[in-house]
Amino acid sequence: AWRAAARRRRGGLLTAVGLSAAAATLVLAQPAAADGLDWVEAAHLLLFFLLFGWVSAGCFTALAGYLSLRRGDAFALRADELLADGHAHSSGDGTRARVALAMPICNEDMDAVFAGLRETLESLRATGRDADFDLFILSDSSDPALRAAELRAWRELRAVMGPELGERIYYRHRRRRTKRKAGNVADFCRRWGALYRYMVVLDADSVMSGECLVKMQALMEQHPRVGILQTQPVARGHDTLHARAQQFLGRVAAPLFGAGLRCWQLGESHYWGHNAMLRIEPFMKHCALAPLPRRGGLGGEILSHDFVEAALMRRAGYEVWLVDLPGSFEQPPAHLLDELQRDRRWCQGNLQNAWLVAEPGFAAVHRAMFVSGALSYVASPLWLAFMALGVLSADDGATHVFSGAPVLWVLTLAMLAAPRVLGVALILRRGQAAEFGGAAKLVAGSLLEALLSALQAPLRMLAHTVFVLGALTGLKLDWKSPSRDAVALRWGDAARRFGPWALPAAAVAYFAQVPTLAPVWLPLLLAVPLAVWTSRPEVGAWLRRRGIWLTPDEAHL
């Protein structure tokens, strides 16, 4: 039944996106249509159609999520469908449903990693159902001092958790590192996969509650055709201004996007590579990855392996579900430079996956995920090209990029703001505003986060453009972030990375003289102080003391 519902919903989404983009493009085209279109104006309109469709797809997804969270979804996979006892330990043949918690690490901060592991294990033990769970710490670390620290931390964790659970905490260092994280997980599967029915993949910053893990095990047992069960992790952990904004947005708008994705995808969902439970036997049989037979930045090892593994699992006949379960956490980037360092890897991986759109046997929705994943980064150079063509096509060289159609500015901004507005409306409707410091602080925090996001958007756009060009040309671009221990950005680090961006921004401001482009070039001029200021933990702590960007976890402390 869910397949028929998915076809109807996806058809509705494509229709809504196509009609809205077409109508908006016709409005934009009318001033120039009477005189005929030259190639600049035609290219400008084509880019607008693509970009407006991209924006509207996000808006419609958030709207679908809002409706789904309000009314429920009869076709979604839900934890309240569990058997009467609420949990499951074994299958019909009486064998235990053993679960391996697998955490690949590579040169990580040991204090943070093992603090998270301890929290997960203690929560799991508190459920009284930890006997089916073993933990594997899978090290790819190259630094001998770090490997020694990992061994010490592993022994301490075993001692703290006691003999019964501690004896089921294992550590393995891989001497020959191949295929990065995907190779690390594959090595675990070859060595120990046959001993377990399920595997939960954890990132170094992952924390999961015991209740969440036990419910995932029960759902997998109750639904034997589910190959991957992906939770929606909630960001928490840092106190910098940048991180707190991400954590707040993750509690206000992200639930709507998650519910919207569940609505469109149903049993053909994403896999994000962590905080998910996998059925090991079909994963080992069907999800092995070969390198892409191409040279340059888009060839070689598959970087965004998780999307591909989800497509392979579905091609093998198993379902992939994104499930709404509380108790799944991850750590947000501490500052903008950390975020962009992560995005550089994701950009290259998502562009790689675009080569797999025509791979035989993949579900149409997974092909669409490959396209949308690539477009999430390609959209940045498209926006730049759109603005440049808008200036070129303007009669006097000084009008805005929506020449003759200012209503489109309002409509586009409304679509971008809709997820935040709907998120706030849902929290107020559910009577949960107190968990965010009250209704007034919830609204004020949303406005402040939207302002910060608007200031950071040009920085992300320019960085993603550089990443896309680097991936397409095969150029080795250096984009190294400071150590994880350096939470606050130093002025020198920010100046080396963001300082050069002020030059093209100043040139645009001086020569183009397009007033409506100020929201683009002004943040680029201020990129260095903006990056430094938003990396300060004392600024985030100051806002928290005043109840701004408060999250439910903090409100309950």
Side-chain angles (χ1 to χ4, degrees):
W2 68 260
R3 294 190 187 97
R7 285 194 294 270
R8 291 194 301 271
R9 294 175 180 184
R10 295 165 192 169
L13 173 65
L14 290 175
T15 301
V17 169
L19 289 178
S20 61
T25 304
L26 288 175
V27 173
L28 181 64
Q30 284 193 5
D35 301 327
L37 298 176
D38 58 26
W39 73 269
V40 174
E41 291 168 330
H44 186 230
L45 291 173
L46 177 59
L47 286 175
F48 176 74
F49 177 82
L50 294 174
L51 292 169
F52 194 90
W54 177 250
V55 171
S56 65
C59 178
F60 290 133
T61 296
L63 178 60
Y66 174 80
L67 296 174
S68 176
L69 291 173
R70 273 196 57 188
R71 303 174 181 176
D73 190 341
F75 298 99
L77 190 67
R78 302 187 304 274
D80 57 15
E81 294 178 343
L82 293 174
L83 299 173
D85 63 354
H87 304 89
H89 289 284
S90 60
S91 61
D93 60 5
T95 57
R96 293 173 59 195
R98 300 189 67 201
V99 183
L101 307 179
M103 177 179 278
I105 59 174
C106 182
N107 300 324
E108 301 288 348
D109 176 7
M110 285 300 94
D111 291 339
V113 168
F114 280 86
L117 286 175
R118 180 174 177 177
E119 182 179 349
T120 297
L121 293 175
E122 287 178 344
S123 177
L124 185 58
R125 185 166 58 183
T127 66
R129 301 178 183 270
D130 59 285
D132 291 335
F133 292 80
D134 296 350
L135 171 64
F136 287 79
I137 302 161
L138 309 173
S139 173
D140 264 355
S141 299
S142 57
D143 187 337
L146 273 177
R147 292 203 300 269
E150 291 169 359
L151 284 169
R152 288 194 300 270
W154 166 63
R155 294 189 183 103
E156 291 173 4
L157 183 62
R158 284 170 61 97
V160 167
M161 299 312 301
E164 184 176 349
L165 181 54
E167 290 180 358
R168 303 200 309 276
I169 302 174
Y170 305 98
Y171 172 87
R172 185 271 285 138
H173 176 254
R174 191 165 61 135
R175 295 182 179 180
R176 185 168 178 266
R177 181 188 176 193
T178 58
K179 297 186 178 180
R180 309 189 189 205
K181 177 183 174 181
N184 200 348
V185 173
D187 179 81
F188 163 80
C189 289
R190 286 191 296 269
R191 294 175 184 269
W192 299 289
L195 301 176
Y196 298 90
R197 187 173 301 162
Y198 308 118
M199 169 177 62
V200 175
V201 181
L202 302 171
D203 267 359
D205 59 354
S206 296
V207 175
M208 299 189 72
S209 72
E211 189 67 21
C212 179
L213 290 169
V214 170
K215 285 184 177 179
M216 291 174 74
Q217 178 199 30
L219 281 170
M220 295 290 277
E221 285 293 281
Q222 191 165 328
H223 299 277
R225 297 310 301 172
V226 175
I228 300 177
L229 197 63
Q230 174 69 64
T231 64
Q232 185 174 354
V234 173
R236 68 169 198 182
H238 283 308
D239 220 10
T240 65
L241 185 71
H242 180 81
R244 290 196 60 76
Q246 298 297 308
Q247 291 165 190
F248 178 79
L249 183 63
R251 295 303 186 95
V252 174
L256 273 65
F257 283 110
L261 290 176
R262 292 195 296 272
C263 179
W264 307 134
Q265 296 170 350
L266 292 176
E268 296 172 329
S269 188
H270 282 87
Y271 167 46
W272 292 319
H274 61 96
N275 293 44
M277 185 172 285
L278 290 75
R279 197 174 297 270
I280 290 187
E281 183 179 0
F283 181 78
M284 293 172 62
K285 185 175 181 181
H286 301 290
C287 298
L289 301 176
L292 292 172
R294 292 174 178 83
R295 296 181 179 179
L298 300 185
E301 298 174 8
I302 296 177
L303 299 179
S304 292
H305 54 89
D306 36 20
F307 277 31
V308 183
E309 289 161 347
L312 291 169
M313 184 69 81
R314 183 67 190 124
R315 184 171 73 174
Y318 289 85
E319 299 167 8
V320 182
W321 288 89
L322 175 61
V323 65
D324 184 17
L325 278 176
S328 178
F329 305 96
E330 63 179 348
Q331 196 175 66
H335 46 68
L336 187 60
L337 194 54
D338 268 355
E339 177 191 314
L340 295 178
Q341 169 69 7
R342 179 195 65 183
D343 281 356
R344 181 176 182 268
R345 300 192 304 270
W346 288 0
C347 173
Q348 188 168 348
N350 278 278
L351 291 177
Q352 275 186 326
N353 289 349
W355 289 113
L356 301 174
V357 169
E359 181 72 13
F362 281 168
V365 68
H366 283 124
R367 301 185 197 277
M369 287 182 205
F370 293 152
V371 173
S372 64
L375 188 57
S376 63
Y377 292 96
V378 174
S380 290
L382 293 183
W383 274 114
L384 280 177
F386 171 72
M387 288 185 288
L389 290 173
V391 173
L392 291 174
S393 62
D395 293 336
D396 57 3
T399 53
H400 52 67
V401 291
F402 288 158
S403 177
V407 66
L408 294 179
W409 266 119
V410 177
L411 183 58
T412 303
L413 292 175
M415 284 191 160
L416 291 172
R420 293 172 174 84
V421 174
L422 291 173
V424 170
L426 185 63
I427 292 169
L428 294 174
R429 182 179 181 85
R430 289 177 166 180
Q432 298 172 335
E435 297 182 350
F436 295 84
K441 291 180 178 178
L442 170 65
V443 174
S446 297
L447 293 173
L448 181 61
E449 186 280 324
L451 175 61
L452 178 61
S453 180
L455 290 173
Q456 292 179 329
L459 280 66
R460 293 187 176 102
M461 179 177 64
L462 190 56
H464 291 175
T465 300
V466 172
F467 299 159
V468 169
L469 294 177
L472 293 178
T473 60
L475 294 175
K476 299 295 184 181
L477 300 173
D478 178 44
W479 190 274
K480 293 183 178 179
S481 61
S483 167
R484 290 189 183 212
D485 296 332
V487 174
L489 267 178
R490 294 187 292 267
W491 283 95
D493 293 324
R496 281 190 293 273
R497 182 51 60 195
F498 298 112
W501 295 5
L503 298 177
V508 170
Y510 181 77
F511 292 107
Q513 296 182 358
V514 182
T516 51
L517 289 183
V520 177
W521 57 257
L522 185 58
L524 293 176
L525 283 176
L526 301 175
V528 173
L530 182 64
V532 172
W533 184 64
T534 55
S535 74
R536 300 298 188 192
E538 60 270 19
V539 181
W542 183 85
L543 286 174
R544 177 161 67 171
R545 289 193 297 270
R546 282 151 183 79
I548 301 297
W549 290 346
L550 211 61
T551 62
D553 294 335
E554 297 163 342
H556 293 155
L557 293 178

